[in-house]
Amino acid sequence: MCLGIPGKILQSFDANGLRMGRVEFGGIVRDACLAYTPEAMVGDYVVVHVGFAISRINAEEAARTYKLLEEMGQLSELEVGGTDGRQSSPQSAVGGKTDEIS
Amino acid sequence: MKYLDEYRDEQVAGNIIGEIRRILTRPWVIMEVCGGQTHSIVKYGIDRLLPQGLELVHGPGCPVCVTSLELIDKAHAIASRPEVIFCSFGDMLRVPGSHDDLLTLKSRGADVRVVYSPLDCLKIARGHAERKVVFFAVGFETTAPANAMAVWRAAQEGIANFSVLVSHVLVPPALGAILQSPRNRVQAFLGPGHVCAVMGYEEYEMICAQYKVPIVVTGFEPLDILEGTLCAVRQLEAGRAEVENQYARAVSRKGNPPARELVMKVFEVCDRKWRGVGGIAQSGYKLRKEFCQHDAELLFQVQEIQTQEPSICISGEILRGIKKPHDCPAFATECSPQHPLGATMVSAEGACAAYYAYGRHGEISPAHPGRGTGAPGGVAQ
Amino acid sequence: MSDPKLPGEICPAPRTAPGQILLGHGGGGKLTAELIQKFFLPAFHNPFLARLDDQAVLEFNGKRLAFTTDSFVVSPIFFPGGDIGSLAVNGTINDLAMSGARPRYIAAAFILEEGFAMDELRRVIESMRRSCAEADVLLVTGDTKVVNRGHGDKIFITTTGLGVLDKRVRISGDQARPGDRVILSGSVGEHGMAVMSQREHLEFAGAIQSDTAPLHTLVEAMLEASENIHCLRDPTRGGLATTLNELAAASRAGIQVEERKIPVHESVKGACEILGLDPLYVANEGKLVAMVAPEAAETVLGRMRGHPLGREAQIIGEVVSGHPGRVLAKTGIGGTRVLDVMFGEQLPRIC
């Protein structure tokens, strides 16, 4: 629902007592209010929604979880598929289900 | 663009889909809550890439769709007044009330302006002291901090000619309403990523415990939605029901404390009527009494509104995930983005509008096999 | 091609106003098409009009002429990279060029609003002079009218163009055949976003300029490379997606494209992301789409890339026999979506 786009803080400044930032999105630079992300510094990425930064992107967390996604599928097939220890056999299980769902 | 492009990577998407396929043993119904997530799913064709048996149903996460007809009619009445400069996000401009929409009013001379941030309205108000600037504050919890800041600043700076017409709605009560319905089919949720960036996800732990449904806080890019789906499927297959945070790069359990603090200073929880669904207790925000001088609903005495919804509309069932757009007899025939009959077609984020925009009107619905122009050939992967 | 007005002004039909012209009728999408089908075609029925190309190809004493007209109502009249004047000249040149014709003569009719600043008029005329000179066309006749204040948005320009078709090329919207490659001459979304940035006072730091340009020399280069070019069209209002749909409908064929192959500049992408817009539906004024026989595609592409207006040309898809009239896109993650015709203008969204 909420269109929030990640942008990089290039500069921060004060306007009317509010902390603002010049934020870069791709090739576009726009101002955003940084009042809600006091911990975000120049160089950090923030999620901006309707002109306000609502969250600072945790770069380490992003890198860590992304790496897991990239490596997914290279995990061995011996990975257990369910708590009952049963190996799920994708072809037959899902194929069988297809007939039941119309 | 960093933190966008890599979350649209085809190869990694394939990895996740492969993993879902590997562990899926039976059909499941998962609801994505946010309109933005629906948009992404349809835009990238994600649901068609998932294995058969895994069904994504679309939730009520479109604040534009669920703004009550009464409030929209009130907005139109206020916007029609000559002394008013009526400001709104683009989403609301085409939403039809009982008679008109903001665009039509604008073409007849109403001063209706699109804004990109509530702070823009303060600028307008400062520059037009002789006019009344009214902002249509629609949104879920995500938009509340921005709207709260606008009201707070107006109060501090004494910008007397600025007011807001509030239509904030809250997600957790909506999930409760869905789960309480006897016809509910939803077995797990992809939770609202940006709502949780603001609010955190403590509230969802209670829902999870009470109804025993997995809730995975999920982002908006294709890889986010796929990973969120994978997490939900893992839980479902294992019989677990927990709150998980897929969108950890932007969301923490406590959310954004300074934002929540200002929201609670400016707004308080109230009952709200959701278009297509009905009244849900404690499911909205309204302005606190201290800010009544900025409350457009109080400032503008609008007469009793007589609202009129077409009876053919099944928005309510779509918003609760019970039906799909092409289950509706009016979908893409009497009801379309150009002639919307109800909530889920009025906004680009509504399930019906998203389906229509991304060309789903050619599909055959099991309920109406005679309709549809035939599924676009070659679409199935 | 006329430009859309304020983002809110092109709107879907309200339920209570049939029987009236709506702003949406000027959007270039479904409402416009309905108007043409219901009113204009039946009244003026003839084989030239029935093709619904952007120009008419006429024969006089063995010579083939291309003939076109277009109105320009863009607001604001000055925007990064161009103005209503350059648009009016280039737009009509391009409509002629899309038939393979060499543009030769332009006529221009002006409707000026009482109170319009002389300085601004001078700027617009100078811009038109430059555009005509650059494109080597002559403005040979014209007309001027003035309407009361409030009855015309500063300036409206209608240009009519005449061009000469040298070769026996048959380029028309209905000529696409299964197997044809779809070639796009460059990146999309610049014009629409440039105009919007000006109109909505969005600061894009000058990063986005309208791509308005005359395409006839690019078309000439393409025709020198091969005569097997079946369709040409410039994707103006409604964007690339709408144009592809028009061609699919006219040729009664299906089109499949790969989104990842469609060039979009970083700044346009950023602006579209922030506003929640889809670049495939944003107007262009200096790009073309071509349907080219498969054996000629690479040659034509190479020639395009050697031309200043075609450096970023790409083969983005092909014409297929399946799903006639429909355009399918392979999405960035390997899924599929249908690219439908846009109804009105996209509105920026927060959701």
Side-chain angles (χ1 to χ4, degrees), chain B residues 68-87:
Chain B
S68 75
L69 197 49
E70 288 89 345
L71 210 49
I72 292 181
D73 286 346
K74 275 193 187 153
H76 293 170
I78 295 172
S80 303
R81 290 155 88 124
E83 75 274 22
V84 169
I85 299 178
F86 196 83
C87 301

Side-chain angles (χ1 to χ4, degrees), chain A residues 24-80:
Chain A
E24 183 187 43
F25 306 91
I28 299 297
V29 179
R30 301 203 62 198
D31 286 349
C33 181
L34 300 180
Y36 294 128
T37 51
E39 73 287 8
M41 297 293 130
V42 170
D44 284 345
Y45 280 80
V46 284
V47 177
V48 176
H49 170 70
V50 301
F52 282 77
I54 56 171
S55 170
R56 184 183 88 85
I57 297 215
N58 185 331
E60 298 74 27
E61 178 64 30
R64 188 186 69 82
T65 49
Y66 197 83
K67 192 148 177 296
L68 294 175
L69 292 183
E70 282 178 312
E71 291 166 358
M72 196 175 286
Q74 294 164 28
L75 296 172
S76 119
E77 295 263 39
L78 297 175
E79 275 277 316
V80 173

Side-chain angles (χ1 to χ4, degrees), chain C residues 113-133:
Chain C
E113 185 189 10
E114 181 190 9
F116 180 43
M118 293 286 205
D119 268 348
E120 291 194 336
L121 177 61
R122 196 171 286 125
R123 270 174 78 188
V124 169
I125 291 172
E126 172 56 24
S127 173
M128 291 176 79
R129 186 202 65 74
R130 262 198 322 268
S131 301
C132 286

